[in-house]
Amino acid sequence: MEQKDVTILAIETSCDETAAAVVRNGREVLSNIISSQIDLHTLYGGVVPEIASRKHIEKINQVITEALQAADMKLQEMDAIAVTYGPGLVGALLVGVSTAKAVSFASGIPLVGVHHIEGHISANYIENPDLEPPFVCLVVSGGHSHLVVVKDYGEYQILGRTRDDAAGEAFDKVARAIGLGYPGGPKIDKVSKEGNPDAIQFPRAKVADAVYDFSFSGLKSAVLNYLNSCEMKGIEICQADVAASFQKAVVDVLVEHSMQAVQECGMKKFAIAGGVASNSSLRAALEQACADRGVAFYHPSPVLCTDNAAMIGAAAYYEYIKGVRSGYDLNAVPNLKLGER
Ligand code: KG4
Ligand code: ZN
């Protein structure tokens, strides 16, 4: 018997992107609308939570309408309303959760709450129709750095996580320190292309008792110390060299941990996810490392690496077909752990 299509309207407001998308059967994106607040937060050098919430409220209805229009579909044709309910900024999450609950209640269409990181991982399903669990996934975003085994749809084993700063956070802080401003990741990625990655030897941090854990705050301090000592000696820094050397230190650690995980888990598939996964140097290094080991490498396009709602629709599909539904008591959970519901 042929399976009926499942079409999901997905909503994402966990940080500074107001996003809605229509996704069919978890992999086919019919529309993907993203209203970014980056320009606004750039004025303050980072995301201001209160401003993010207010902007989400202003934009959310319009973004949902645009997503349905771009997909050429009506709300009543949706099988589910999916929404990110954590982790993220509580006020920002609440806008999406309240809106999704209201739309679901008014239309009678079931509600499915989605974990933001599960969304990032699921972005890989969209452009890789052949990708199925199990696989190892490196999730590197502004708020999270995780190395996980995706055992099955919605089933995760966390191998390692950051002990302090997330990878994206380190990019953003170092970018600010060397005068590149916000958002740091894409700017460091760009200027690094003009720099020498071996110009300065920054530390590759290891966590003694946990081989898969990350620590980026020591690296960030090393960059700050380097900048201070240059200033004291009256030496002018080369922004591109500092950026490229810092980036290489992050990439080296991410690649080493990832390949160790792939090897020890005996996995032949490896994927990356999250905003930092759009970093060109990281992608190139992982591509090479995977090719050397005969491991298939999966990565979303840059627009699906950073926050978007299509990835939430992809994750929601696999929950929906398992029968998962959320009640109208669904709440925003700012520190929701991966694998928890
Ligand atoms: O996944 P994401 O959009 O939001 C979170 O869930 O955190 O990730 C945003 C993070 C920011 O820290 C940003 O600087 C970083 O991803 N990022 C990058 C690049 N593009 C975005 N980091 C390094 N290289 C990039 N090209
Ligand atoms: Zn994210």
Side-chain angles (χ1 to χ4, degrees):
M1 200 178 73
E2 204 174 298
Q3 285 244 298
K4 187 189 164 294
D5 282 337
V6 173
T7 312
I8 296 182
L9 169 67
I11 298 169
E12 153 67 43
T13 63
S14 68
C15 190
D16 59 345
E17 253 84 40
T18 318
V22 177
V23 180
R24 187 181 284 153
N25 300 332
R27 305 219 179 207
E28 192 189 343
V29 178
L30 303 184
S31 67
N32 187 24
I33 307 294
I34 304 167
S35 169
S36 175
Q37 306 176 359
I38 279 189
D39 292 349
L40 196 64
H41 297 289
T42 300
L43 294 172
Y44 304 96
V47 177
V48 184
E50 177 68 12
I51 295 178
S53 317
R54 283 164 189 260
K55 273 286 147 192
H56 285 315
I57 293 174
E58 281 173 28
K59 291 280 178 186
I60 187 76
N61 288 345
Q62 180 195 334
V63 165
I64 291 173
T65 306
E66 276 180 45
L68 288 168
Q69 274 171 356
D72 200 15
M73 293 191 80
K74 301 211 165 27
L75 178 62
Q76 282 309 332
E77 293 176 275
M78 299 298 120
D79 295 289
I81 312 291
V83 65
T84 307
Y85 73 107
L89 302 169
V90 68
L93 287 164
L94 267 174
V95 177
V97 169
S98 315
T99 307
K101 287 201 283 192
V103 173
S104 164
F105 185 68
S107 61
I109 300 168
L111 181 69
V112 180
V114 174
H115 191 291
H116 182 73
I117 300 301
E118 186 164 0
H120 274 301
I121 295 170
S122 305
N124 280 288
Y125 298 134
I126 294 170
E127 293 157 312
N128 299 300
D130 59 320
L131 176 61
E132 287 187 34
F135 57 93
V136 174
C137 187
L138 172 71
V139 188
V140 270
S141 72
H144 306 269
S145 302
H146 280 100
L147 196 51
V148 301
V149 181
V150 182
K151 295 163 84 173
D152 202 344
Y153 294 106
E155 244 184 75
Y156 307 97
Q157 179 195 350
I158 299 175
L159 297 174
R161 53 163 63 84
T162 183
R163 291 289 181 98
D164 36 61
D165 291 354
E169 201 177 344
F171 269 92
D172 293 336
K173 286 178 178 168
V174 167
R176 193 177 310 155
I178 60 174
L180 284 173
Y182 172 87
K187 290 189 173 167
I188 288 193
D189 194 351
K190 189 159 173 239
V191 322
S192 291
K193 293 191 194 334
E194 270 105 59
N196 172 8
D198 300 313
I200 309 145
Q201 277 306 309
F202 289 129
R204 273 70 171 153
K206 290 227 186 295
V207 180
D209 53 339
V211 286
Y212 295 124
D213 278 1
F214 304 104
S215 167
F216 294 111
S217 75
L219 171 59
K220 177 194 67 192
S221 302
V223 175
L224 296 179
N225 288 342
Y226 172 81
L227 297 176
N228 280 338
S229 80
C230 286
E231 199 183 336
M232 275 172 13
K233 291 180 201 148
I235 303 168
E236 203 178 317
I237 65 146
C238 171
Q239 205 182 40
D241 282 353
V242 179
S245 301
F246 158 77
Q247 181 173 271
K248 177 133 192 278
V250 176
V251 168
D252 281 356
V253 170
L254 293 177
V255 173
E256 193 191 318
H257 284 41
S258 300
M259 291 304 110
Q260 195 171 343
V262 163
Q263 213 151 348
E264 282 184 16
C265 297
M267 216 63 95
K268 283 288 165 204
K269 288 185 264 183
F270 173 75
I272 50 172
V276 182
S278 59
N279 183 271
S280 57
S281 169
L282 178 64
R283 289 162 89 98
L286 285 169
E287 181 129 48
Q288 186 62 53
C290 285
D292 291 346
R293 291 164 180 79
V295 171
F297 176 48
Y298 298 89
H299 50 84
S301 318
V303 69
L304 294 173
C305 284
T306 43
D307 289 348
N308 65 87
M311 67 184 196
I312 303 303
Y317 169 77
Y318 292 100
E319 296 298 305
Y320 178 88
I321 58 173
K322 277 189 227 163
V324 173
R325 306 289 183 268
S326 301
Y328 293 129
D329 57 350
L330 183 72
N331 204 352
V333 184
N335 55 0
L336 185 66
K337 303 277 177 297
L338 190 62
E340 275 178 11
R341 283 212 70 86

